[in-house]
Amino acid sequence: MNTKERFSDTFFTRQLMRWNANFNFREMPWKGESDPYKIWLSEIILQQTQVAQGLSYYHKFIQTYPTVSHLNNADPNDVFKLWEGLGYYSRCKNLLFAANQIVTNFNCRFPDTYNDILSLKGIGPYTAAAIASFAFKLPYAVVDGNVIRVLSRYFAISTPYDTTEGKKIFQEKANELLDTKQPHLYNQAIMDFGATVCTPANPACIQCILSKHCASNLKNNVLDFPVKSKKILKRKRFFIFLIIENNKKQILVKKREQNDIWQNLHQFFEIENESLFLAENDTLFQTLKTQFPGLQFSDQLTVFDEQKQTLTHQTVYSKFITGVQLNDPEIASGYSWINIADLDKIAFPKTAQKAVKELIFIKKTP
DNA sequence: AAGGCGGGGGC
DNA sequence: GCCCCAGCCTT
Protein backbone atom coordinates (compact mmCIF):
# COMPACT_ATOMS: atom_id res chain seq x y z
CA MET A 1 0.00 0.00 0.00
CA ASN A 2 1.51 3.32 -1.01
CA THR A 3 1.36 6.50 1.01
CA LYS A 4 -1.30 8.10 -1.12
CA GLU A 5 -3.58 5.15 -0.66
CA ARG A 6 -3.02 4.94 3.09
CA PHE A 7 -4.24 8.48 3.60
CA SER A 8 -7.01 8.31 1.04
CA ASP A 9 -10.73 8.36 1.66
CA THR A 10 -11.08 4.73 0.67
CA PHE A 11 -8.57 3.80 3.37
CA PHE A 12 -10.64 5.57 6.01
CA THR A 13 -13.81 3.87 4.84
CA ARG A 14 -12.24 0.44 4.61
CA GLN A 15 -10.73 0.69 8.09
CA LEU A 16 -13.97 1.96 9.57
CA MET A 17 -15.94 -0.91 8.04
CA ARG A 18 -13.35 -3.34 9.34
CA TRP A 19 -13.71 -1.88 12.83
CA ASN A 20 -17.48 -2.18 12.51
CA ALA A 21 -17.34 -5.83 11.53
CA ASN A 22 -14.89 -6.86 14.23
CA PHE A 23 -14.96 -4.45 17.13
CA ASN A 24 -18.32 -2.73 17.20
CA PHE A 25 -20.33 -4.26 20.01
CA ARG A 26 -22.81 -1.44 20.47
CA GLU A 27 -26.39 -2.69 20.73
CA MET A 28 -29.56 -0.66 20.26
CA PRO A 29 -33.15 -1.83 19.74
CA TRP A 30 -33.58 -0.07 16.39
CA LYS A 31 -30.30 -1.41 14.99
CA GLY A 32 -31.06 -3.54 11.92
CA GLU A 33 -34.66 -2.33 12.03
CA SER A 34 -36.20 -1.88 8.58
CA ASP A 35 -39.59 -0.39 9.47
CA PRO A 36 -39.19 3.27 8.48
CA TYR A 37 -41.80 4.32 11.03
CA LYS A 38 -39.77 2.88 13.91
CA ILE A 39 -36.54 4.29 12.53
CA TRP A 40 -38.19 7.68 12.17
CA LEU A 41 -39.40 7.60 15.80
CA SER A 42 -35.98 6.61 17.09
CA GLU A 43 -34.27 9.33 15.06
CA ILE A 44 -36.59 12.11 16.22
CA ILE A 45 -36.31 11.00 19.83
CA LEU A 46 -32.53 10.93 19.57
CA GLN A 47 -32.10 14.41 18.07
CA GLN A 48 -29.79 16.22 20.53
CA THR A 49 -30.54 13.44 22.99
CA GLN A 50 -28.31 10.67 24.27
CA VAL A 51 -29.34 7.08 23.64
CA ALA A 52 -29.64 6.27 27.33
CA GLN A 53 -32.02 9.16 27.83
CA GLY A 54 -34.26 8.36 24.85
CA LEU A 55 -34.45 4.59 25.17
CA SER A 56 -37.49 4.29 27.43
CA TYR A 57 -39.36 6.88 25.36
CA TYR A 58 -38.76 4.86 22.21
CA HIS A 59 -40.28 1.75 23.80
CA LYS A 60 -43.24 3.71 25.15
CA PHE A 61 -43.97 5.25 21.75
CA ILE A 62 -43.64 2.00 19.80
CA GLN A 63 -45.92 0.27 22.25
CA THR A 64 -48.54 3.01 22.44
CA TYR A 65 -48.49 3.98 18.77
CA PRO A 66 -47.31 0.94 16.76
CA THR A 67 -48.04 2.53 13.38
CA VAL A 68 -48.18 5.99 11.88
CA SER A 69 -51.99 5.73 11.79
CA HIS A 70 -52.12 5.16 15.54
CA LEU A 71 -49.99 8.25 16.01
CA ASN A 72 -52.06 10.33 13.60
CA ASN A 73 -55.32 9.33 15.31
CA ALA A 74 -54.04 10.05 18.80
CA ASP A 75 -55.11 12.94 21.01
CA PRO A 76 -52.20 15.40 20.80
CA ASN A 77 -52.37 15.97 24.56
CA ASP A 78 -51.73 12.26 25.13
CA VAL A 79 -48.74 12.34 22.78
CA PHE A 80 -47.27 15.34 24.60
CA LYS A 81 -47.88 13.52 27.87
CA LEU A 82 -45.84 10.60 26.54
CA TRP A 83 -43.09 13.01 25.46
CA GLU A 84 -43.14 14.80 28.84
CA GLY A 85 -39.67 15.16 30.35
CA LEU A 86 -37.74 14.47 27.16
CA GLY A 87 -37.31 18.13 26.20
CA TYR A 88 -37.29 19.99 22.89
CA TYR A 89 -41.07 19.76 22.68
CA SER A 90 -41.26 21.13 19.13
CA ARG A 91 -40.02 17.68 18.11
CA CYS A 92 -43.27 16.25 19.43
CA LYS A 93 -45.35 18.89 17.69
CA ASN A 94 -43.56 18.23 14.40
CA LEU A 95 -43.92 14.48 14.90
CA LEU A 96 -47.69 14.90 14.95
CA PHE A 97 -47.60 17.22 11.95
CA ALA A 98 -45.47 14.76 9.97
CA ALA A 99 -47.70 11.83 10.89
CA ASN A 100 -50.53 13.75 9.27
CA GLN A 101 -48.36 14.49 6.23
CA ILE A 102 -47.64 10.79 5.79
CA VAL A 103 -51.30 9.82 6.09
CA THR A 104 -52.66 12.55 3.82
CA ASN A 105 -49.85 13.22 1.32
CA PHE A 106 -48.37 9.74 1.10
CA ASN A 107 -51.44 7.58 1.60
CA CYS A 108 -50.23 6.16 4.92
CA ARG A 109 -47.05 4.76 3.39
CA PHE A 110 -43.77 6.13 4.66
CA PRO A 111 -42.07 8.04 1.78
CA ASP A 112 -39.11 6.17 0.29
CA THR A 113 -37.04 8.85 -1.43
CA TYR A 114 -34.63 11.26 0.23
CA ASN A 115 -36.47 14.39 -0.92
CA ASP A 116 -39.89 13.09 0.12
CA ILE A 117 -38.52 12.10 3.52
CA LEU A 118 -36.89 15.53 3.83
CA SER A 119 -40.25 17.18 3.10
CA LEU A 120 -41.63 15.90 6.42
CA LYS A 121 -41.79 18.38 9.29
CA GLY A 122 -39.03 17.91 11.83
CA ILE A 123 -36.81 16.03 9.41
CA GLY A 124 -33.65 17.80 8.30
CA PRO A 125 -30.61 16.60 6.35
CA TYR A 126 -29.35 14.30 9.10
CA THR A 127 -32.63 12.51 9.82
CA ALA A 128 -33.51 12.21 6.12
CA ALA A 129 -30.16 10.56 5.40
CA ALA A 130 -30.55 8.26 8.40
CA ILE A 131 -34.02 7.06 7.38
CA ALA A 132 -33.11 6.83 3.69
CA SER A 133 -30.08 4.67 4.42
CA PHE A 134 -31.37 2.55 7.33
CA ALA A 135 -34.84 1.85 5.97
CA PHE A 136 -34.27 1.94 2.21
CA LYS A 137 -30.49 1.36 1.81
CA LEU A 138 -30.20 4.58 -0.17
CA PRO A 139 -26.71 6.12 -0.48
CA TYR A 140 -27.00 9.23 1.71
CA ALA A 141 -24.35 10.06 4.30
CA VAL A 142 -25.39 11.15 7.79
CA VAL A 143 -23.72 14.13 9.44
CA ASP A 144 -24.38 14.37 13.15
CA GLY A 145 -22.30 15.33 16.17
CA ASN A 146 -20.42 12.03 16.04
CA VAL A 147 -19.57 12.33 12.36
CA ILE A 148 -18.40 15.91 12.73
CA ARG A 149 -16.14 14.94 15.60
CA VAL A 150 -14.62 11.94 13.82
CA LEU A 151 -14.04 13.71 10.50
CA SER A 152 -12.78 16.96 12.00
CA ARG A 153 -10.20 15.04 14.01
CA TYR A 154 -9.14 12.54 11.37
CA PHE A 155 -8.74 15.17 8.64
CA ALA A 156 -7.89 18.07 11.01
CA ILE A 157 -10.70 20.18 9.62
CA SER A 158 -10.58 23.50 11.46
CA THR A 159 -13.52 25.18 9.77
CA PRO A 160 -16.15 25.79 12.48
CA TYR A 161 -18.94 23.29 11.95
CA ASP A 162 -21.69 25.65 13.07
CA THR A 163 -21.36 27.88 10.00
CA THR A 164 -22.77 27.62 6.49
CA GLU A 165 -19.35 26.87 5.10
CA GLY A 166 -18.60 24.30 7.77
CA LYS A 167 -21.86 22.45 7.24
CA LYS A 168 -21.14 22.26 3.53
CA ILE A 169 -17.58 21.00 4.03
CA PHE A 170 -18.56 18.26 6.48
CA GLN A 171 -21.48 17.10 4.36
CA GLU A 172 -19.28 16.91 1.24
CA LYS A 173 -16.56 15.04 3.08
CA ALA A 174 -19.12 12.62 4.50
CA ASN A 175 -20.56 12.05 1.02
CA GLU A 176 -17.11 11.23 -0.36
CA LEU A 177 -16.40 8.74 2.40
CA LEU A 178 -19.74 6.94 2.28
CA ASP A 179 -19.67 3.26 1.38
CA THR A 180 -22.38 3.55 -1.27
CA LYS A 181 -22.84 -0.22 -1.52
CA GLN A 182 -23.81 -0.55 2.14
CA PRO A 183 -24.72 2.95 3.30
CA HIS A 184 -26.78 1.64 6.22
CA LEU A 185 -23.77 -0.20 7.68
CA TYR A 186 -21.38 2.68 7.03
CA ASN A 187 -23.64 5.31 8.63
CA GLN A 188 -24.21 3.15 11.67
CA ALA A 189 -20.50 2.41 11.89
CA ILE A 190 -19.27 5.99 11.89
CA MET A 191 -21.80 7.06 14.51
CA ASP A 192 -21.02 4.09 16.75
CA PHE A 193 -17.33 4.81 16.28
CA GLY A 194 -17.83 8.41 17.38
CA ALA A 195 -19.95 7.37 20.34
CA THR A 196 -17.62 4.65 21.66
CA VAL A 197 -14.06 5.37 20.43
CA CYS A 198 -13.71 8.93 19.18
CA THR A 199 -15.60 10.39 22.15
CA PRO A 200 -15.80 14.10 23.05
CA ALA A 201 -13.62 13.82 26.16
CA ASN A 202 -11.04 11.07 26.69
CA PRO A 203 -11.12 9.56 23.21
CA ALA A 204 -9.60 6.07 23.03
CA CYS A 205 -6.78 7.05 20.68
CA ILE A 206 -4.48 4.36 22.14
CA GLN A 207 -6.72 1.56 20.91
CA CYS A 208 -8.01 3.40 17.84
CA ILE A 209 -7.31 1.56 14.60
CA LEU A 210 -7.31 4.88 12.73
CA SER A 211 -4.94 6.74 15.05
CA LYS A 212 -1.81 6.20 12.95
CA HIS A 213 -3.50 8.07 10.12
CA CYS A 214 -5.47 10.58 12.17
CA ALA A 215 -4.17 14.07 11.34
CA SER A 216 -4.98 15.61 14.72
CA ASN A 217 -3.60 12.63 16.62
CA LEU A 218 -0.35 12.87 14.67
CA LYS A 219 -0.14 16.53 15.69
CA ASN A 220 -1.20 15.65 19.22
CA ASN A 221 -4.13 18.09 19.23
CA VAL A 222 -7.12 15.78 19.01
CA LEU A 223 -9.04 17.70 21.65
CA ASP A 224 -8.81 20.91 19.62
CA PHE A 225 -11.41 19.39 17.31
CA PRO A 226 -14.15 19.90 16.33
CA VAL A 227 -14.01 23.71 16.12
CA LYS A 228 -17.10 25.71 17.01
CA SER A 229 -17.63 29.41 16.33
CA LYS A 230 -20.38 30.54 18.63
CA LYS A 231 -20.65 30.62 22.35
CA ILE A 232 -24.02 30.24 23.97
CA LEU A 233 -25.21 33.07 26.17
CA LYS A 234 -27.32 32.09 29.11
CA ARG A 235 -29.96 34.30 30.68
CA LYS A 236 -31.82 33.90 33.95
CA ARG A 237 -35.58 33.65 34.33
CA PHE A 238 -37.54 33.94 37.56
CA PHE A 239 -41.04 32.48 37.70
CA ILE A 240 -43.54 32.51 40.50
CA PHE A 241 -46.35 30.04 39.89
CA LEU A 242 -49.47 30.44 42.00
CA ILE A 243 -51.36 27.21 42.50
CA ILE A 244 -54.86 28.64 42.55
CA GLU A 245 -57.54 26.26 43.84
CA ASN A 246 -61.32 26.54 43.99
CA ASN A 247 -63.67 24.76 46.36
CA LYS A 248 -64.28 21.98 43.84
CA LYS A 249 -60.76 20.57 44.10
CA GLN A 250 -59.76 22.19 40.84
CA ILE A 251 -56.59 24.05 39.86
CA LEU A 252 -56.12 26.92 37.42
CA VAL A 253 -53.88 25.98 34.49
CA LYS A 254 -53.25 26.95 30.90
CA LYS A 255 -51.38 25.59 27.94
CA ARG A 256 -48.27 27.56 27.02
CA GLU A 257 -48.87 28.91 23.53
CA GLN A 258 -46.50 31.88 23.50
CA ASN A 259 -43.23 31.92 21.64
CA ASP A 260 -41.18 30.74 24.57
CA ILE A 261 -39.84 27.68 26.33
CA TRP A 262 -42.17 24.75 27.01
CA GLN A 263 -44.56 25.45 24.17
CA ASN A 264 -47.58 23.10 24.29
CA LEU A 265 -46.89 22.15 27.89
CA HIS A 266 -48.99 23.43 30.79
CA GLN A 267 -48.42 25.86 33.64
CA PHE A 268 -50.04 27.28 36.74
CA PHE A 269 -50.88 30.97 37.17
CA GLU A 270 -47.66 32.68 36.19
CA ILE A 271 -45.88 35.75 37.49
CA GLU A 272 -42.47 36.36 35.97
CA ASN A 273 -40.64 38.85 38.15
CA GLU A 274 -37.04 38.74 39.28
CA SER A 275 -37.10 41.14 42.24
CA LEU A 276 -40.29 39.64 43.56
CA PHE A 277 -38.79 36.19 43.28
CA LEU A 278 -35.67 37.22 45.14
CA ALA A 279 -37.55 38.98 47.93
CA GLU A 280 -38.06 37.46 51.38
CA ASN A 281 -41.25 35.47 51.78
CA ASP A 282 -42.93 38.14 53.94
CA THR A 283 -42.26 40.81 51.34
CA LEU A 284 -43.23 38.47 48.53
CA PHE A 285 -46.59 37.60 50.09
CA GLN A 286 -47.28 41.23 51.02
CA THR A 287 -46.54 42.41 47.48
CA LEU A 288 -48.70 39.69 45.95
CA LYS A 289 -51.62 40.79 48.12
CA THR A 290 -51.37 44.40 47.04
CA GLN A 291 -50.62 43.71 43.37
CA PHE A 292 -53.34 41.13 42.85
CA PRO A 293 -56.55 42.33 44.51
CA GLY A 294 -58.44 39.84 42.36
CA LEU A 295 -56.81 37.00 44.23
CA GLN A 296 -57.54 35.87 47.73
CA PHE A 297 -54.53 34.82 49.78
CA SER A 298 -55.07 32.55 52.75
CA ASP A 299 -53.26 32.78 56.06
CA GLN A 300 -51.38 29.60 55.20
CA LEU A 301 -49.76 31.04 52.11
CA THR A 302 -46.65 28.94 51.58
CA VAL A 303 -43.90 28.34 49.08
CA PHE A 304 -44.90 24.83 48.13
CA ASP A 305 -41.83 24.04 46.08
CA GLU A 306 -38.78 25.84 44.71
CA GLN A 307 -36.76 24.69 41.74
CA LYS A 308 -33.72 25.66 39.71
CA GLN A 309 -33.44 24.21 36.23
CA THR A 310 -30.57 24.66 33.81
CA LEU A 311 -31.53 24.68 30.15
CA THR A 312 -29.29 25.22 27.18
CA HIS A 313 -29.96 28.98 26.88
CA GLN A 314 -31.58 29.79 30.19
CA THR A 315 -31.36 29.15 33.88
CA VAL A 316 -34.89 28.95 35.19
CA TYR A 317 -35.81 29.58 38.81
CA SER A 318 -39.36 28.64 39.83
CA LYS A 319 -41.38 29.01 43.00
CA PHE A 320 -44.73 27.29 43.44
CA ILE A 321 -47.06 28.90 45.95
CA THR A 322 -50.22 27.40 47.45
CA GLY A 323 -53.01 28.87 49.53
CA VAL A 324 -54.47 31.11 46.83
CA GLN A 325 -58.06 31.37 45.64
CA LEU A 326 -59.82 33.49 43.05
CA ASN A 327 -61.95 36.55 43.86
CA ASP A 328 -62.26 38.09 40.45
CA PRO A 329 -62.64 35.68 37.50
CA GLU A 330 -61.19 38.35 35.18
CA ILE A 331 -57.74 37.61 36.59
CA ALA A 332 -57.94 34.08 35.23
CA SER A 333 -58.69 34.89 31.62
CA GLY A 334 -56.81 32.48 29.39
CA TYR A 335 -56.63 29.94 32.18
CA SER A 336 -59.02 27.09 32.87
CA TRP A 337 -59.91 24.80 35.75
CA ILE A 338 -58.76 21.22 35.85
CA ASN A 339 -59.53 18.58 38.48
CA ILE A 340 -56.51 17.92 40.66
CA ALA A 341 -56.94 14.21 39.97
CA ASP A 342 -56.53 14.90 36.25
CA LEU A 343 -53.30 16.89 36.56
CA ASP A 344 -51.26 13.82 35.67
CA LYS A 345 -53.02 13.53 32.32
CA ILE A 346 -51.50 16.70 30.89
CA ALA A 347 -47.85 17.49 30.30
CA PHE A 348 -45.87 19.86 32.52
CA PRO A 349 -42.26 21.04 32.33
CA LYS A 350 -39.85 18.97 34.38
CA THR A 351 -39.45 21.83 36.82
CA ALA A 352 -43.15 21.66 37.74
CA GLN A 353 -43.44 17.93 38.11
CA LYS A 354 -42.54 17.72 41.77
CA ALA A 355 -45.25 20.24 42.62
CA VAL A 356 -47.75 18.39 40.43
CA LYS A 357 -46.96 15.06 42.07
CA GLU A 358 -47.34 16.45 45.56
CA LEU A 359 -50.64 18.11 44.67
CA ILE A 360 -52.04 14.82 43.45
CA PHE A 361 -50.65 13.03 46.49
CA ILE A 362 -52.27 15.48 48.90
CA LYS A 363 -55.55 15.11 47.08
CA LYS A 364 -55.47 11.34 47.56
CA THR A 365 -54.63 11.50 51.26
CA PRO A 366 -57.58 12.96 53.18
C1' DA B 1 -26.82 34.09 9.42
C1' DA B 2 -28.30 33.96 14.01
C1' DG B 3 -31.05 32.59 17.80
C1' DG B 4 -34.01 29.48 20.29
C1' DC B 5 -35.25 25.14 21.99
C1' DG B 6 -34.94 20.66 27.48
C1' DG B 7 -33.05 17.73 30.08
C1' DG B 8 -29.37 14.61 31.47
C1' DG B 9 -24.65 13.22 32.05
C1' DG B 10 -19.45 13.58 31.89
C1' DC B 11 -15.65 15.83 33.72
C1' DG C 1 -19.01 25.42 36.19
C1' DC C 2 -18.88 24.13 31.02
C1' DC C 3 -19.61 21.09 27.17
C1' DC C 4 -22.01 17.65 24.53
C1' DC C 5 -25.78 14.79 22.92
C1' DA C 6 -28.41 10.27 16.12
C1' DG C 7 -30.67 18.66 14.82
C1' DC C 8 -34.27 21.48 13.26
C1' DC C 9 -37.21 25.46 12.76
C1' DT C 10 -38.06 30.33 12.74
C1' DT C 11 -36.74 34.98 12.07
Side-chain angles (χ1 to χ4, degrees), chain A residues 296-320:
Chain A
Q296 182 173 324
F297 297 92
S298 78
D299 296 336
Q300 290 104 33
L301 200 58
T302 48
V303 175
F304 189 62
D305 187 25
E306 182 162 347
Q307 297 280 326
K308 175 188 173 184
Q309 187 186 24
T310 308
L311 308 178
T312 303
H313 297 260
Q314 304 181 18
T315 304
V316 180
Y317 299 85
S318 309
K319 281 182 182 174
F320 299 86

Side-chain angles (χ1 to χ4, degrees), chain A residues 55-267:
Chain A
L55 210 51
S56 65
Y57 287 86
Y58 173 75
H59 291 303
K60 281 195 296 182
F61 267 84
I62 292 298
Q63 194 167 18
T64 312
Y65 308 115
T67 70
V68 69
S69 301
H70 288 86
L71 185 57
N72 186 49
N73 293 333
D75 178 341
N77 279 326
D78 294 343
V79 183
F80 276 103
K81 183 64 190 175
L82 211 56
W83 196 277
E84 181 185 54
L86 191 56
Y88 281 154
Y89 298 93
S90 65
R91 289 185 292 174
C92 186
K93 177 181 147 199
N94 292 336
L95 197 71
L96 286 162
F97 190 97
N100 188 254
Q101 282 180 292
I102 295 168
V103 169
T104 59
N105 302 350
F106 298 100
N107 196 23
C108 253
R109 276 185 66 84
F110 207 97
D112 59 1
T113 69
Y114 177 83
N115 284 324
D116 281 349
I117 296 169
L118 189 61
S119 76
L120 300 175
K121 202 83 163 174
I123 294 186
Y126 161 77
T127 306
I131 296 173
S133 64
F134 295 146
F136 305 109
K137 316 262 188 292
L138 296 172
Y140 291 89
V142 294
V143 177
D144 73 334
N146 292 302
V147 174
I148 288 166
R149 192 169 54 253
V150 172
L151 298 189
S152 66
R153 286 174 177 172
Y154 187 83
F155 296 101
I157 300 169
S158 52
T159 312
Y161 67 86
D162 56 342
T163 60
T164 305
E165 188 196 0
K167 283 174 190 144
K168 183 161 170 262
I169 286 174
F170 281 103
Q171 185 67 61
E172 283 172 354
K173 197 69 194 169
N175 293 348
E176 285 171 31
L177 296 165
L178 178 67
D179 182 339
T180 53
K181 290 203 175 68
Q182 28 193 3
H184 55 302
L185 291 182
Y186 171 86
N187 280 338
Q188 189 64 59
I190 192 165
M191 289 194 286
D192 287 344
F193 185 79
T196 61
V197 179
C198 198
T199 51
N202 306 112
C205 299
I206 306 290
Q207 296 111 296
C208 176
I209 59 163
L210 289 168
S211 62
K212 289 194 178 69
H213 310 273
C214 173
S216 66
N217 186 55
L218 292 172
K219 284 190 242 164
N220 207 19
N221 64 348
V222 170
L223 293 183
D224 290 347
F225 298 92
V227 177
K228 191 176 177 180
S229 72
K230 303 177 190 72
K231 194 170 147 50
I232 292 176
L233 292 178
K234 204 165 269 190
R235 68 177 165 130
K236 293 183 178 179
R237 304 278 296 271
F238 298 87
F239 291 108
I240 297 165
F241 292 109
L242 304 183
I243 300 175
I244 301 178
E245 189 174 350
N246 65 16
N247 50 20
K248 290 187 281 186
K249 295 285 179 195
Q250 293 175 319
I251 301 283
L252 212 51
V253 299
K254 79 169 177 188
K255 186 185 267 196
R256 295 177 62 84
E257 307 281 10
Q258 64 272 46
N259 227 359
D260 198 1
I261 51 174
W262 304 318
Q263 212 177 116
N264 290 300
L265 273 59
H266 294 78
Q267 64 168 76

Side-chain angles (χ1 to χ4, degrees), chain A residues 315-334:
Chain A
T315 304
V316 180
Y317 299 85
S318 309
K319 281 182 182 174
F320 299 86
I321 295 179
T322 53
V324 190
Q325 293 210 336
L326 207 59
N327 272 340
D328 177 8
E330 278 296 303
I331 295 276
S333 92

Side-chain angles (χ1 to χ4, degrees), chain A residues 325-359:
Chain A
Q325 293 210 336
L326 207 59
N327 272 340
D328 177 8
E330 278 296 303
I331 295 276
S333 92
Y335 287 82
S336 56
W337 295 106
I338 181 171
N339 295 328
I340 296 183
D342 292 332
L343 277 178
D344 61 355
K345 294 188 172 59
I346 58 177
F348 279 88
K350 197 78 173 175
T351 196
Q353 283 174 23
K354 190 180 167 197
V356 171
K357 261 187 195 155
E358 285 189 35
L359 274 177

